[in-house]
Amino acid sequence: MSLVVFPFKNEDPEILVGNVKTALSHPRVEEVLCVGASEDQCFAAVAEACPTLERQYGKPVKVIVQERIGALRPGKGDGMNTALKYFLEETSYERLHFYDADIVSFSQEWISKAEEGADQGFDVVRHYFPRASTDAMITWFVTRTGFALLWPKSSLPWIEQPLGGELLLTRPVVKRLLEEEKVRRQSDWGIDTLYTFTMVKHGFSLYETYIGVGKLHKLYGALTDLRTMLVECFAAIQSLRGEEIPSFGIHRVEYPGPVSQEVREKVGYNVEGSLPLLTEGWSREEESLLEVLPPDVRAGMQACRSFPRFGFMDEEAWYATYQALLDHFQFDNPHWQRLLFRLWLARTLNYTVNQALRGYGHALHYLHQMVGRYVRSALQG
Ligand code: GDX
Ligand code: MG
């Protein structure tokens, strides 16, 4: 029997309560837990709905505020780790499901497919979805790239959506995650990276189940909204450097289905609006950091100060840049944070213009092949 958890922060309570009901009506679900970042408006609305839901469905429904467990910015990591603790200390269920609170395409199928994977004996089941070719730019250029560079022999680079917040964990996995000091510490957006990394490190078997309807959820406006997430996801990878993990763990991926026209045609971000972000607001300190980058990248970024440039940031340039970032990036330095964002933006724009523009099939094939090329380069050292 299973516990379903929704971590949330300032979400639309109507959507969250709808998702709670969907979970409660699933026969495998014994209890639903919502973990809020604070006692915000959404928290109050969900708390008010709980007693009625409990009566209606005859199952416990709780809403709690996340504990302060980690050492970084108090964010989604504290929320998810609070849920792990609750699961281990307050319940004896065998499985824990996580789903984002803002999903509007959530259905019972998501729970059933995860349960089916676990029924087959997999320790972890992760959901994956069709994504637009210009979506998931942190996943491709930060997380999967970093996994390929640092752990090319592992299954990590081949996990479709390593940052996804929709997953099922069996009890031994939850126990192992919470025992890791690095996992408990990761209170911010880096939590998904830490969970993914730790489950592979300990050799848990992994199944990725495909959800064809896709994840429709609240969208970001400008690319700058992604800055915190980008920085925290990169820092999470950097903090794991030097850790050894097993080669070739058990990892199976359900074959995907046809991708809807809507996803194929969707543009993931505002291209024109992000161009000024390459040129605006350079400080002397930020300029001085360019010194540690490969010469072509340094010259390209210097040119950006007067006009947006990104033609130089191709696949090879990003590989070399990433290596330099692993060595030199400082998480607590705001100049480094701004520069990391600009470098990643240059890579994202370069890919958009040279690959995504050629069509959906080409772009997705390119991204997967790119990971393969990075894996091979990393193995050759
Ligand atoms: N308890 C708690 N505390 N929940 C939070 C907090 C927090 O500080 N911050 C965000 N959340 C919830 C939020 O309400 C939502 O349910 C979920 O976490 C994901 O946040 P959202 O703002 O919807 O982000 P996005 O871009 O949709 O997230 C995706 O990428 C993240 C990542 O890249 O790290 C999604 O797959 C996330 O699960 C993933 O963590
Ligand atoms: Mg979301």
Side-chain angles (χ1 to χ4, degrees):
M1 282 305 200
S2 301
L3 171 73
V4 168
V5 176
F6 296 98
F8 70 94
K9 180 178 174 178
N10 287 327
E11 296 297 350
D12 177 345
E14 229 176 279
I15 292 169
L16 175 51
V17 170
N19 289 339
V20 170
K21 287 182 184 168
T22 303
L24 285 169
S25 50
H26 196 287
R28 291 287 185 96
V29 176
E30 279 286 284
E31 176 173 345
V32 172
L33 175 71
C34 301
V35 185
S38 64
E39 288 195 32
D40 57 23
Q41 260 188 348
C42 180
F43 185 97
V46 176
E48 201 189 313
C50 280
T52 317
L53 292 172
E54 289 197 338
R55 248 179 287 120
Q56 230 176 328
Y57 292 88
K59 299 175 183 180
V61 187
K62 297 204 178 85
V63 53
I64 57 174
V65 174
Q66 68 191 37
E67 286 176 41
R68 183 63 178 136
I69 297 173
L72 302 169
R73 181 184 64 81
K76 182 168 176 257
D78 273 345
M80 293 181 85
N81 285 336
T82 299
L84 299 190
K85 265 184 85 176
Y86 177 89
F87 177 79
L88 289 180
E89 291 171 6
E90 309 290 330
T91 81
S92 53
Y93 307 129
E94 285 144 35
R95 299 168 184 176
L96 161 60
H97 296 239
F98 277 113
Y99 299 103
D100 280 2
D102 64 333
I103 306 172
V104 295
S105 53
F106 187 62
S107 73
Q108 291 213 354
E109 191 201 355
W110 297 43
I111 298 173
S112 298
K113 291 200 75 177
E115 289 282 329
E116 281 162 18
D119 289 349
Q120 282 179 59
F122 286 94
D123 299 314
V124 176
V125 185
R126 309 182 59 101
H127 299 72
Y128 84 104
F129 318 94
R131 309 276 304 254
S133 63
T134 47
D135 242 0
M137 295 290 95
I138 298 179
T139 295
W140 285 109
F141 298 126
V142 173
T143 312
R144 293 188 69 167
T145 294
F147 283 163
L149 263 67
L150 292 169
W151 301 283
K153 281 189 181 163
S154 75
S155 46
L156 286 171
W158 304 107
I159 296 176
E160 280 295 326
Q161 284 161 19
L163 298 180
E166 295 72 32
L167 68 174
L168 176 155
L169 308 171
T170 50
R171 201 165 182 97
V173 181
V174 174
K175 196 161 170 288
R176 206 73 197 74
L177 286 176
L178 209 54
E179 278 166 6
E180 286 274 323
E181 142 65 25
K182 280 195 174 175
V183 169
R184 289 198 309 273
R185 175 178 177 276
Q186 201 76 39
S187 44
D188 61 10
W189 287 120
I191 193 64
D192 304 287
T193 307
L194 264 287
Y195 279 14
T196 303
F197 180 84
T198 307
M199 56 187 70
V200 172
K201 173 175 145 181
H202 291 291
F204 289 114
S205 57
L206 182 62
Y207 183 66
E208 294 192 78
T209 188
Y210 182 75
I211 305 287
V213 292
K215 174 169 153 183
L216 305 174
H217 63 132
K218 179 186 75 209
L219 280 185
Y220 289 103
L223 266 185
T224 37
D225 292 348
L226 281 174
R227 188 182 312 219
T228 310
M229 202 181 264
L230 165 75
V231 167
E232 293 179 353
C233 288
F234 179 79
I237 299 258
Q238 193 190 29
S239 76
L240 293 166
R241 211 160 50 125
E243 293 230 15
E244 299 219 0
I245 64 171
S247 313
F248 312 118
I250 294 174
H251 173 215
R252 284 198 200 128
V253 187
E254 183 182 358
Y255 192 75
V259 177
S260 72
Q261 205 57 22
E262 191 191 349
V263 171
R264 288 171 175 276
E265 289 175 2
K266 191 180 141 200
V267 183
Y269 67 97
N270 175 351
V271 176
E272 190 184 11
S274 57
L275 289 174
L277 305 176
L278 283 173
T279 58
E280 284 169 5
W282 281 85
S283 65
R284 206 180 292 262
E285 291 93 330
E286 189 180 344
E287 274 176 49
S288 72
L289 301 175
L290 293 172
E291 210 168 298
V292 300
L293 298 176
D296 291 356
V297 174
R298 190 190 315 147
M301 292 311 284
Q302 271 162 350
C304 271
R305 290 172 310 169
S306 37
F307 191 79
R309 306 291 286 269
F310 50 81
F312 61 93
M313 194 60 100
D314 59 14
E315 190 173 314
E316 290 77 31
W318 181 241
Y319 186 93
T321 301
Y322 203 108
Q323 285 179 313
L325 286 167
L326 284 172
D327 288 336
H328 299 284
F329 176 76
Q330 292 164 348
F331 183 42
D332 49 11
N333 179 338
H335 305 293
W336 259 122
Q337 295 194 356
R338 271 198 289 276
L339 182 57
L340 170 66
F341 178 77
R342 284 194 223 271
L343 291 163
W344 166 81
L345 179 57
R347 179 66 192 120
T348 298
L349 286 161
N350 180 298
Y351 155 80
T352 302
V353 167
N354 291 302
Q355 312 297 339
L357 211 60
R358 300 192 198 176
Y360 187 80
H362 171 89
L364 268 286
H365 185 242
Y366 168 81
L367 290 167
H368 284 91
Q369 297 291 109
M370 172 192 82
V371 170
R373 285 188 291 271
Y374 281 164
V375 162
R376 287 192 295 280
S377 304
L379 286 172
Q380 282 156 16

